[in-house]
Amino acid sequence: MKVLGIETSCDETGLAIYDSEAGLLADALHSQAAMHNAYGGVVPELASRDHIRHLIPLLNKVMAQSQCQSQDITGVAYTRGPGLIGALLTGSVLARSLAWTLGVPVIGVHHMEGHLLAPMLEDKPPAWPFVALLVSGGHTQLIAAEEPGCYRLLGESVDDAAGEAFDKVATLLGLSYPGGPQIAALAEQGNQDRFRFPRPMTDRPGLDFSFSGLKTFTRTRIEEQEGPCGGDLQTRQDIARGFEEAVVDTLTIKCRRALRQTGMKRLVIAGGVSANRRLRQRLETMATAEGAGLYYARPALCTDNGAMIAYAGCQRLLAGEQDPADAAPRPRWPLTEVGRIPA
Ligand code: KG4
Ligand code: ZN
């Protein structure tokens, strides 16, 4: 089966073609980061308009890259939610019109299931079941992934998502959006011992997260420095390092707890923050000590992309699932409601 995947939930227009026999045939992306940067975050209306501008050129690009003709496409998948309603509508309308024109089935994919399954596109995919840490701009969740489509929520952020905290702290440090990669780069030369940031909610049982207090703590450290945005370069580097270290440490403590609690021996990390090098290193060490394996996708498949939507949609289409004609986008959609994918 050859599935066209369309991702438009937020600020990335991603299209890809996944072949259930041959793997990923084409993958193309347009990031709106530069456009939203001027506003310090994603402006929903601008996002929708920009998706409309880029969808057809990216469609032509993946068709050319894959050397597919339109009649070769046997299914269409798109992000049905969660996300920004206007942005979701652009992908949904294109996907459903194309599927109707081509006479093929269409499936709306849950964005976070796309992230969670992205490591399946790599050479050594994880076997089921596994613990999944989903860390993106909008979500921080620990999931017990029992089998395809069966996801049990173990814990989640009660306020800001990890990626959101990276983005907000980046703005305070005078860095551009999205902030995660910028903080990671600034932290490279930083001293992790100069500032000691809290590890929120690690001193009590449970698997929930909270990053809002850490963000406020960081804001205070930045504001007490002389000069704007945390002062001189070395101080800004030290703050970035201390903050990154605190997030990585907190996520690692909770992942270890989740592995022990479930007895599972595989940990999958997915979503934009899972591209973070320090997080991967720390989790690798922890997983090895626990006798568990760590799985993640290449960085380009950690952040938003069309490939993960094409892959996840393909699994559901192969199982015989498809959307009814009146399927509407679901801006809010709990991952636990997606339903099992029959083998
Ligand atoms: O999954 P994603 O592309 O979009 C959402 O579904 O939200 O995640 C984007 C988030 C942003 O907050 C970005 O700052 C963060 O992922 N991110 C990173 C890194 N790369 C992206 N955070 C930390 N380190 C990175 N290397
Ligand atoms: Zn995402």
Side-chain angles (χ1 to χ4, degrees), residues 107-290:
I107 184 84
V109 170
H110 192 291
H111 181 79
M112 298 313 289
E113 181 173 52
H115 276 305
L116 186 144
L117 295 179
M120 301 289 178
L121 285 161
E122 299 301 348
D123 288 343
K124 284 191 195 138
W128 300 81
F130 52 82
V131 169
L133 171 71
L134 301 180
V135 266
S136 69
H139 293 79
T140 302
Q141 295 183 322
L142 269 166
I143 301 281
E146 317 273 8
E147 51 184 327
C150 293
Y151 309 126
R152 188 161 49 86
L153 185 66
L154 299 170
E156 65 183 333
S157 178
V158 297
D159 41 55
D160 291 3
E164 195 180 350
F166 267 104
D167 295 338
K168 287 178 177 168
V169 167
T171 306
L172 295 171
L173 285 168
L175 303 170
S176 59
Y177 169 87
Q182 307 262 349
I183 293 212
L186 187 66
E188 277 303 317
Q189 305 300 323
N191 171 3
Q192 67 171 40
D193 297 321
R194 175 154 166 215
F195 296 99
R196 176 77 189 171
F197 290 86
R199 272 65 173 155
M201 293 179 81
T202 53
D203 57 350
R204 62 184 104 156
L207 293 170
D208 283 339
F209 303 90
S210 163
F211 290 107
S212 151
L214 175 60
K215 180 193 65 194
T216 307
F217 184 94
T218 312
R219 178 199 301 272
T220 310
R221 294 290 82 71
I222 291 171
E223 286 173 357
E224 68 194 17
Q225 306 304 319
E226 264 178 43
C229 305
D232 60 78
L233 179 60
Q234 188 60 54
T235 304
R236 293 170 65 243
Q237 288 171 339
D238 296 344
I239 292 174
R241 181 67 197 275
F243 168 79
E244 186 186 41
E245 208 59 37
V247 175
V248 166
D249 221 26
T250 304
L251 294 173
T252 305
I253 291 168
K254 294 292 165 100
C255 284
R256 184 197 296 122
R257 222 177 257 180
L259 285 172
R260 289 183 180 173
Q261 187 175 310
T262 58
M264 290 178 182
K265 289 294 174 199
R266 283 174 286 267
L267 174 64
V268 166
I269 54 169
V273 182
S274 71
N276 185 278
R277 195 175 54 81
R278 245 179 250 288
L279 177 65
R280 291 173 173 211
Q281 282 172 349
R282 190 71 57 78
L283 288 175
E284 192 78 62
T285 309
M286 181 278 288
T288 306
E290 296 292 310

Side-chain angles (χ1 to χ4, degrees), residues 303-328:
T303 44
D304 289 352
N305 64 87
M308 66 184 196
I309 301 304
Y311 177 83
C314 184
Q315 307 316 304
R316 290 191 174 274
L317 290 168
L318 284 172
E321 231 179 275
Q322 60 173 295
D323 276 0
D326 62 352

